[in-house]
Amino acid sequence: MLVGILALQGDFFAHASALDDLSVDVRFIRCPSDLDGIEGLVIPGGESTAMSLLIQSSGLYAPLMGLLNSGLPVLATCAGVIILSGEIVDGRDDQISFGMLDLSIKRNGYGRQLQSFETDIMLSTGGFHAIFIRAPRILKAGSDVEVLAAIEGVAGHDGADVVMCRQGSILACTFHPELTPDRSIHSMFVDQMKRRK
Amino acid sequence: MVDMTDDLTNDHLTGTFQVKRGLAEMLKGGVIMDVVTSEHAKIAEDAGAVAVMALERVPADIRAQGGVARMSDPALIMEIEEAVTIPVMAKARIGHFAEAQILQSIGVDYIDESEVLTPADRENHIDKWKFDVPFVCGATNLGEALRRISEGAALIRSKGEAGTGNIVEAVYHLRSIVGDIKKLASADHAELYAWAKSLGAPYELVRMVADTGWLPVPLFCAGGIATPADASLVRQLGAESIFVGSGIFKSDNPSERARAIVEACVHYDDAGLVGRVSKGLGEAMRGLDDTSYGARLAERGW
């Protein structure tokens, strides 16, 4: 199995090392020809504005859109979720979106770096320690979005926030499973790829 | 694998080393640009910068004008925070923890305890563990890098020689740090104690570098980057991201040069692409050759 990791900017090495722990082959994606033959795609964390610009200048926008529409399994974390969301709040006007996730998402939705936090969340597979870095906040999720985890009790925010969800073949986390040693979320993604084969 | 199901809590912890280091991870492969106005900050963001460093004078001007260089006016930093959506960094003087406290209070995303400013303490750097905001510190060699990490730095940048537009010192520092990491990784375990002694760094951190083959935090490069080719060079030498100070806004065409350096930083191993983006950028910053630096800023800090 070969997973492509979008490697224009951000913590793509951390994803590579997570997938390496699961003995999955990876390839860094920096130009369209890198996409040939990949069976899954990771869109990592980073700065969504910079990534957006680089996706366009590298000629990756159209081929990625094609792959997303074909149902390629995707794991998106943090900035990756922003890039896939239908509505971006507080983005830049020229920021691209693939519109694959029926989410309204707010960039830096919990505040600046001083508000970055870590906390324990509950998945169907058990507890998971989640790291949120200047994380986007999901304001609204459409009815086709399956909620996999939510958090409560963030200072200044009422109610529960969706932090992990699935829509179609896309698994999305507003936190960074690649930064902690627990591989259960990457395993979920790999299982999804196996099921598709 | 640690089973965490038994001690799940609803606590949200801020200011941990994980979240400090985490932001540095997100900046990898990107360019952090020095800006002195909110207009500069917008140009930097438009060009694809992953963060900006807000300051009153770029290093080339600090070098030329002399005098004591201090933390920037908080009003300027806050204006820049308002102007862009990417992370904003700001500089405090070496050892000046009161400046750092102020920068934390106005919500900067990273503090650079920087040799570009005039040091405030001859003996001690800031105790960075006491802060919730993450710190980046400069280093000329592996020992210095590990001392800064032991004080709580979550990101290291090789120092180079700021404000010169001359890459020679950055290359020297980067080769020194990466070279010693490689030597440590192949050292016999019994040799690590002598390494710790000669580096002047804690044994535990020396051991960590030997075991993992890398620093426990990301390694970026600063000080003298002026062209897309410079960006490609230091990335190939092991820098995970770059800081560009005077090199952009002291050039003829800041916007296009900034954009080109961003592309070169990402596609650093594609010489054809780096060549294409290098075309027609106009005059780079004039710069200083290494016989005309005067004082070396890199010698500040220890």
Side-chain angles (χ1 to χ4, degrees):
Chain A
M1 248 179 330
L2 178 65
V3 173
I5 304 177
L6 191 63
L8 296 170
Q9 193 276 310
D11 71 335
F12 46 87
F13 276 111
H15 277 287
S17 124
L19 288 165
D20 186 57
D21 287 349
L22 300 172
S23 306
V24 174
D25 293 330
V26 301
R27 182 196 292 153
F28 290 134
I29 308 293
R30 293 199 178 94
C31 67
S33 61
D34 294 335
L35 294 168
D36 294 344
I38 61 167
E39 295 156 90
L41 175 73
V42 173
I43 308 183
E47 278 305 316
S48 64
T49 52
M51 262 195 238
S52 159
L53 208 64
L54 291 161
I55 286 172
Q56 295 173 82
S57 62
S58 312
L60 281 166
Y61 183 75
L64 280 176
M65 185 62 116
L67 283 173
L68 292 169
N69 280 322
S70 76
L72 184 78
V74 175
L75 172 62
T77 61
C78 195
V81 185
I82 298 175
I83 285 172
L84 293 174
S85 289
E87 189 190 2
I88 303 170
V89 178
D90 290 349
R92 284 171 53 92
D93 295 341
D94 57 356
Q95 188 162 357
I96 56 156
S97 163
F98 289 99
M100 301 300 294
L101 294 171
D102 188 9
L103 300 176
S104 171
I105 196 161
K106 185 177 160 69
R107 289 184 60 216
N108 309 327
Y110 299 93
R112 309 189 69 92
Q113 171 64 12
L114 282 169
Q115 282 78 47
S116 290
F117 61 98
E118 44 185 290
T119 193
D120 294 321
I121 61 171
M122 190 53 86
L123 309 178
S124 60
T125 50
F128 194 91
H129 191 67
I131 313 271
F132 293 80
I133 308 289
R134 283 172 52 97
R137 183 176 178 222
I138 294 174
L139 303 176
K140 220 164 52 194
S143 53
D144 291 340
V145 176
E146 179 192 355
V147 175
L148 301 178
I151 55 168
E152 284 182 52
V154 182
H157 300 277
D158 296 330
D161 285 353
V162 175
V163 295
M164 181 173 171
C165 59
R166 176 164 30 217
Q167 183 175 358
S169 58
I170 299 173
L171 195 56
C173 305
T174 60
F175 54 94
H176 294 282
E178 70 279 15
L179 294 185
T180 43
D182 187 336
R183 295 293 168 242
S184 44
I185 290 176
H186 284 80
S187 298
M188 252 181 243
F189 166 61
V190 172
D191 288 345
Q192 196 172 319
M193 283 170 53
K194 283 181 185 155
R195 277 200 303 276
R196 189 175 186 240
K197 277 191 95 164
Chain B
M1 204 77 63
V2 186
D3 179 13
M4 320 246 306
T5 48
D6 289 338
D7 51 26
L8 276 184
T9 66
N10 274 324
D11 289 348
H12 298 149
L13 299 172
T14 55
T16 62
F17 195 69
Q18 282 261 43
V19 301
K20 290 176 175 178
R21 198 203 123 111
L23 181 54
E25 291 287 334
M26 298 314 136
L27 302 175
K28 279 187 180 175
V31 183
I32 299 142
M33 302 182 191
D34 278 6
V35 298
V36 299
T37 63
S38 51
E39 288 72 34
H40 278 187
K42 284 185 194 133
I43 291 172
E45 187 180 49
D46 287 346
V50 291
V52 292
M53 177 77 69
L55 67 179
E56 271 168 347
R57 295 182 287 172
V58 293
D61 290 334
I62 291 174
R63 190 178 277 282
Q65 292 161 9
V68 175
R70 309 179 177 90
M71 175 188 81
S72 296
D73 184 342
L76 171 76
I77 297 166
M78 292 165 82
E79 192 187 309
I80 289 171
E81 286 176 347
E82 283 299 309
V84 293
T85 63
I86 54 180
V88 175
M89 304 186 176
K91 290 184 195 290
R93 282 180 265 179
I94 289 173
H96 206 314
F97 54 85
E99 284 187 348
Q101 289 162 353
I102 292 168
L103 292 174
Q104 175 166 278
S105 77
I106 61 171
V108 303
D109 296 298
Y110 240 95
I111 295 177
D112 183 5
E113 186 182 18
S114 177
E115 71 282 2
V116 169
L117 305 185
T118 310
D121 190 322
R122 287 203 184 88
E123 314 233 314
N124 309 293
H125 284 248
I126 296 170
D127 178 2
K128 293 164 273 288
W129 295 112
K130 286 194 170 162
F131 288 79
D132 289 334
V133 62
F135 279 77
V136 50
C137 288
T140 58
N141 57 57
L142 182 58
E144 200 176 352
L146 295 179
R147 287 194 290 281
R148 296 295 84 77
I149 295 166
S150 74
E151 297 157 0
L155 170 61
I156 294 296
R157 56 173 174 76
S158 56
K159 281 180 177 171
E161 195 51 37
T164 63
N166 187 335
I167 201 67
V168 67
E169 300 292 334
V171 168
Y172 180 57
H173 298 154
L174 206 49
R175 279 200 186 274
S176 167
I177 294 169
V178 175
D180 275 353
I181 291 173
K182 285 182 189 156
K183 283 183 212 154
L184 261 187
S186 59
D188 185 87
H189 182 256
E191 297 168 346
L192 298 183
Y193 302 94
W195 266 100
K197 186 180 167 197
S198 71
L199 290 172
Y203 165 78
E204 290 70 24
L205 288 177
V206 171
R207 171 89 194 262
M208 210 181 276
V209 173
D211 286 348
T212 63
W214 199 240
L215 294 179
V217 303
L219 172 64
F220 293 3
C221 174
I225 297 165
T227 67
D230 289 344
S232 165
L233 175 68
V234 297
R235 291 279 277 127
Q236 291 186 61
L237 288 173
E240 297 175 282
S241 288
I242 58 174
F243 287 84
V244 185
S246 320
I248 289 171
F249 290 100
K250 284 287 168 191
S251 74
D252 268 4
N253 196 341
S255 187
E256 280 184 31
R257 182 165 295 269
R259 191 73 193 84
I261 290 177
V262 166
E263 291 291 338
C265 185
V266 172
H267 302 283
Y268 63 93
D269 53 359
D270 180 346
L273 192 148
V274 177
R276 275 200 302 286
V277 300
S278 299
K279 285 180 188 163
L281 292 178
E283 199 68 34
M285 77 177 278
R286 184 167 163 74
L288 298 167
D289 74 19
D290 56 359
T291 56
S292 52
Y293 290 164
R296 283 185 192 226
L297 302 178
E299 288 169 5
R300 296 168 164 180
W302 35 91

